[in-house]
Amino acid sequence: KWCGSSSEAAPQSGLPTPLALRTASELHTMKQVCTLLAISACHSVSERPISKVLHLLEDMKKQLEAEAKKDEETYHNLACWCDTNDKAKTEAIKVANSRITDLVAATQENAAYAAELEVEIKQHYKEVDQGKMALGEARANRERSADEWYGTEKDLVQSIAALKNAIQLLSKQNGGSALLHISKMVKFVVDRRTTPLAGLSDQQHASLTQFLQQPASAGSYNSQSGEIFGILTSMLEEMEKDLEEGRSKESKDGEDYQDLKSTKSAENDAGKTAIATKKQELARTQEKLENAKEDLDDTRAA
């Protein structure tokens, strides 16, 4: 780009000055003048009048002045171009250094963020796996507990039914085949693992054992029927209480499991969503990191 004017002082740029250019041109012109004067001296005045020489000298002067002005303008333009080019280079270096600083910061920032995302993704994977394991353990415990309660509930229902029948018969009959039937039903109840015998006193245990061991041919049970009736009634009440409490606990355990299942499932879904989201963010961050590194290398090489 050309700038400046011929009248302005040119900066020091190592170029030859207008005065030096003009002096060289004038020496060349003076040589031409001397040559013409020598030629003119060889002819008569009538062939080459002095006015013609003067006109020639005047034309040469104008030419010299025009060339000098052109040389000065050329010098100023060249000097201005050199000065402008130096400023442009200085500014370009300043911009490049600033960009390098920004790119280094961007590279470090993206690298740190990518490392942070990788750690978070690993943690989410770990939490999802732990959630699956916890849910699996909870499901196994629930199934085992439900199976155990199913067997317990079945025993209690059968024992309660047998005790009710025994108590009903005992309240009506005290001997013979009825007592034998009562003894069998009570023995069935006692043999069940759910029978609450721990709450009986030693005397009650002894009376119940004697009742079960005596054969039907022993005759009347009047001396024991009242005590046995009380023992069986107490056992019935205890079993009915255990059945009610067991069913209530089983229902609550089922509800607790469903709540845990819902919570863990929601946590696992949230973890999977977080993994997918952060994987996308990691891909974008790694792309930014690679672009920043490439720009940094290009800027440093420029």
Side-chain angles (χ1 to χ4, degrees), residues 125-144:
Y125 270 119
K126 181 179 179 181
E127 291 173 353
V128 169
D129 290 340
Q130 290 175 343
K132 289 180 179 179
M133 290 179 61
L135 187 58
E137 291 176 359
R139 181 171 54 252
N141 292 335
R142 175 85 279 273
E143 291 174 352
R144 182 171 56 254

Side-chain angles (χ1 to χ4, degrees), residues 58-75:
E58 184 67 25
D59 291 340
M60 288 183 177
K61 179 182 177 183
K62 291 180 180 180
Q63 183 180 358
L64 286 173
E65 290 177 349
E67 291 177 353
K69 183 176 180 181
K70 183 178 180 181
D71 290 343
E72 187 172 359
E73 289 177 354
T74 301
Y75 171 81

Side-chain angles (χ1 to χ4, degrees), residues 144-208:
R144 182 171 56 254
S145 177
D147 289 341
E148 290 176 355
W149 168 245
Y150 176 77
T152 300
E153 183 183 34
K154 182 179 179 180
D155 287 347
L156 283 171
V157 170
Q158 291 176 348
S159 297
I160 289 172
L163 278 176
K164 285 182 176 180
N165 288 333
I167 291 171
Q168 185 178 10
L169 288 174
L170 189 61
S171 65
K172 296 178 180 179
Q173 301 289 340
N174 289 323
S177 61
L179 291 177
L180 178 59
H181 188 57
I182 293 171
S183 178
K184 289 182 178 180
M185 286 189 291
V186 173
K187 190 175 187 307
F188 170 81
V189 173
V190 172
D191 289 341
R192 311 302 290 178
R193 61 188 176 86
T194 55
T195 302
L197 299 178
L200 299 180
S201 65
D202 292 341
Q203 178 61 39
Q204 289 175 325
H205 270 287
S207 299
L208 185 59

